[in-house]
Amino acid sequence: MQHVAHQVDTSSTDFDTLIVGAGTAGLTAARLLAGAGRRVAVLEARDRIGGRLVTSRDNETILDLGASWIHGVRNNPLADAVAAFGMRTTEFTVGSYQPDGRPIAYYSPTGVRLTGSESRHFASDIHFFDDRLAAIVDKSEPGTSFGYAVEATMAQMNWDHARAERVREFLRHRAEEQLGVWIDDLDAHGLDDDAIDGDEVVFPDGYDNLAVNLAHGLDIRLSHVVTRIAWSVTGVTVETELGRFSAASIVVTVPIGVLKSPGLVFDPPLPEPLAGAVQRLGMNAFEKVFLQFPQRFWDDDVYAIRRQGDAGRWWHSWYDVSSSAGTPTLLTFAAGPCATETRTWSDARIADSILDALRGLYGHRVPSPDRVVVTRWQDDPFARGSYSFMSVGSAPADHDDLATPVDGVLHIAGEATWTDDPSTVTAAFRSGHRAAERVLGRTVAFTELWDGGMPPSVDT
């Protein structure tokens, strides 16, 4: 990814609005504010733009190491922006870890592939259970965990142990794969927005091109690690390792993991309801593992492989991303306890563990991979995890509460601050737009991002 900003006075330290973070939320807010004629600077801790949008390009292979999907393109302004910027997309609907909807190869606890009839029966059990689980969650008391709600629902089922355990296991994996957290650490309402409106799409040229387009023409100061934000009704002063900046207002778009860390100080501290929301929301443990092979060994008629039983405790789901990666490639996730326990493992050790699981299904057909790529978001000091989740005791309103403007000066945006679809790029995008509207004190059309006088860039 390449980024060339327009000519700016880099000696200037006084602005109308400062933006902390050059991810999707920050760049969206900055682009709209700059397009409205505001003097804006973006302070980014990394030596690149994009935040948790980062794409690896190696030997014509493209892998999105952070966000990968737009989860539902219908009535989604992010999809409109992507189209306006001329970014290519490929339909790849995952369906929020649903049991069916796309060809899935299920394997039993003994490693035998389920027949079509057996797979449909299992999916039917999940759908039946989900309907009853929704009613339990809806009536749950504050402080109820998702795991407790699952068990309360299971108590209503007159199922034998094996049948119940397969469904219980599926719900555990859903919490891990959707939100990167153990089922008992997720609030009962943590998956309330687990729904997709329209197709899901991925980006064969890399998702980071969204950041390139949003950033074009902006004043972005890379390698500026913000350590202190002093704010009052008269404005803000921001301290970085490379200097001090001041402005009438500020939009802070760092991840919840950074908001919770001691490295970023607000002076005075964040007031309620923001402080409580920061305390209650969590940052997950979730890593991607890509394995690129010399040839395909899995079935042609599937997009996902799933293993049931104890052998699939950690490595239970693999996704065929060959079409976007450009070579035979499977993607799996280290999520929740798996991500925590394998955090200190080498890439080679992680790969060996995954290959052992795959060979339990395909035997000697599984070759040694040509390349293994493991993300390390837990160790990224400017993320401290992959994305936010609702810990036990939080509430859906915590997302929007975190974005409550303070004295018309301090605004927080990002994927953790959008209630309807948190933990997504769409949430980050929409939150950045909302922050810009609040700073300007008026409504702003999303179309101003691409036809508001700042021409888009399609650099790759």
Side-chain angles (χ1 to χ4, degrees):
M1 178 180 69
Q2 299 176 354
H3 164 62
V4 180
H6 72 298
Q7 293 296 317
V8 297
D9 177 10
T10 56
S11 64
S12 177
T13 59
D14 187 31
F15 298 90
D16 294 323
T17 304
L18 290 169
I19 310 290
V20 181
T24 301
L27 294 175
T28 299
R31 188 171 181 84
L32 290 170
L33 292 171
R38 297 297 179 100
R39 292 176 300 126
V40 178
V42 182
L43 306 178
E44 168 55 49
R46 296 183 175 90
D47 61 0
R48 61 169 180 83
I49 62 171
R52 285 167 282 170
L53 287 182
V54 56
T55 304
S56 168
R57 295 176 174 85
D58 183 76
N59 296 328
E60 299 184 357
T61 296
I62 294 178
L63 303 175
D64 276 320
L65 307 182
S68 296
W69 280 271
I70 294 181
H71 294 292
V73 298
R74 186 179 299 129
N75 300 319
N76 188 336
L78 176 59
D80 297 337
V82 164
F85 290 146
M87 294 171 58
R88 289 197 305 144
T89 61
T90 299
E91 187 270 332
F92 194 92
T93 301
V94 180
S96 297
Y97 202 74
Q98 298 304 315
D100 52 11
R102 288 288 295 267
I104 301 172
Y106 280 105
Y107 286 82
S108 74
T110 60
V112 177
R113 183 171 176 178
L114 272 60
T115 65
S117 175
E118 290 170 333
S119 295
R120 287 190 294 272
H121 187 272
F122 172 69
S124 177
D125 278 352
I126 299 297
H127 291 305
F128 182 84
F129 189 90
D130 279 344
D131 288 342
R132 282 140 190 84
L133 174 62
I136 293 290
V137 167
D138 187 58
K139 296 184 294 184
S140 64
E141 296 291 330
T144 300
S145 74
F146 188 70
Y148 182 90
V150 167
E151 291 306 314
T153 308
M154 191 64 72
Q156 300 177 354
M157 306 292 126
N158 186 25
W159 289 347
D160 62 46
H161 175 77
R163 186 179 183 186
E165 186 55 30
R166 294 290 74 78
V167 172
R168 180 182 287 113
E169 172 187 85
F170 186 89
L171 272 293
R172 287 199 299 266
H173 292 333
R174 179 183 283 169
E176 292 167 348
E177 189 158 306
Q178 288 299 103
L179 288 169
V181 62
W182 178 244
I183 192 169
D184 293 326
D185 297 328
L186 178 66
D187 190 84
H189 293 279
L191 284 169
D192 281 0
D193 289 292
D194 186 31
I196 301 299
D197 189 7
D199 288 340
E200 296 175 273
V201 298
V202 294
F203 298 85
D205 301 318
Y207 211 162
D208 63 350
N209 283 313
L210 174 63
V212 172
N213 281 286
L214 291 172
H216 186 70
L218 295 177
D219 178 356
I220 300 174
R221 314 293 176 96
L222 300 178
S223 301
H224 280 63
V225 180
V226 173
T227 57
R228 183 173 179 270
I229 298 172
W231 59 276
S232 70
V233 294
T234 60
V236 297
T237 299
V238 175
E239 294 180 5
T240 79
E241 295 178 351
L242 296 178
R244 180 177 294 182
F245 298 80
S246 60
S249 61
I250 190 169
V251 181
V252 180
T253 70
V254 299
I256 194 73
V258 177
L259 287 176
K260 295 170 79 74
S261 75
L264 177 60
V265 175
F266 287 87
D267 182 16
L270 293 175
E272 293 294 345
L274 292 81
V278 170
Q279 180 182 12
R280 289 184 292 272
L281 294 172
M283 195 71 174
N284 70 8
F286 184 88
E287 308 292 354
K288 291 182 172 182
V289 185
F290 295 92
L291 298 100
Q292 299 188 300
F293 295 96
Q295 68 271 346
R296 182 188 182 101
F297 58 85
W298 56 97
D299 299 321
D300 290 332
D301 63 338
V302 302
Y303 95 109
I305 305 159
R306 288 191 181 149
R307 176 69 184 269
Q308 299 176 328
D310 290 342
R313 180 173 66 95
W314 279 2
W315 314 115
H316 52 78
S317 298
W318 296 264
Y319 297 90
D320 182 355
V321 295
S322 306
S323 61
S324 58
T327 189
T329 304
L330 289 178
L331 166 65
T332 190
F333 304 107
C338 175
T340 301
E341 294 186 43
T342 60
R343 183 174 180 176
T344 61
W345 288 19
S346 67
D347 289 4
R349 185 179 176 188
I350 290 173
D352 286 344
S353 180
I354 296 170
L355 290 170
D356 282 346
L358 282 170
R359 286 169 181 149
L361 304 179
Y362 296 100
H364 67 275
R365 293 167 54 191
V366 181
S368 297
D370 292 329
R371 184 183 181 212
V372 176
V373 178
V374 182
T375 64
R376 300 287 180 177
W377 289 105
Q378 295 170 92
D379 298 322
D380 185 330
F382 308 125
R384 297 175 178 263
S386 287
Y387 46 89
S388 65
F389 72 94
M390 288 176 55
S391 61
V392 178
S394 62
D398 284 336
H399 297 292
D400 281 337
D401 283 349
L402 182 57
T404 304
V406 181
D407 292 335
V409 171
L410 174 61
H411 306 263
I412 295 180
E415 51 86 6
T417 70
W418 194 262
T419 296
D420 291 341
D421 192 17
S423 309
T424 65
V425 180
T426 297
F429 181 77
R430 295 183 71 103
S431 75
H433 171 261
R434 176 179 60 188
E437 287 190 324
R438 288 175 170 174
V439 171
L440 294 171
R442 62 175 175 84
T443 59
V444 179
F446 279 103
T447 55
E448 292 189 28
L449 285 165
W450 53 86
D451 62 11
M454 298 180 65
S457 166
V458 291
D459 296 339
T460 57

